[in-house]
Amino acid sequence: MDYEYAPLRLPPNVDRSTAAAQLAIQAEFSGWELARVRLFRDGTRQVVLRRRRVTQPQPGLSY
């Protein structure tokens, strides 16, 4: 199975519930799923989303 990946970096001022809400919206409307989350000492989160690659166009990420 082939996936496409979208790396995101969330700043330290974004709290956990806000980050979860943003990622849930992307998952519901664009088909992304959470592949990895890394939390750094300064509070920055590095998030990697993935979704199956298909031939028909799908909506991209909205920031």
Side-chain angles (χ1 to χ4, degrees):
M1 198 158 298
D2 196 22
Y3 289 97
E4 60 180 312
Y5 293 89
L8 299 174
R9 195 163 192 101
L10 301 175
N13 63 346
V14 176
D15 64 347
R16 187 177 183 158
S17 62
T18 304
Q22 289 177 348
L23 296 174
I25 290 169
Q26 293 300 328
E28 185 174 348
F29 294 108
S30 300
W32 293 99
E33 63 183 33
L34 190 61
R36 175 181 294 164
V37 176
R38 292 180 65 192
L39 179 61
F40 294 98
R41 286 186 183 201
D42 66 351
T44 302
R45 288 179 180 85
Q46 181 181 3
V47 178
V48 178
L49 302 176
R50 73 177 185 178
R51 69 178 171 188
R52 290 185 181 150
R53 193 178 300 263
V54 294
T55 56
Q56 60 193 11
Q58 290 183 336
L61 286 173
S62 61
Y63 297 100

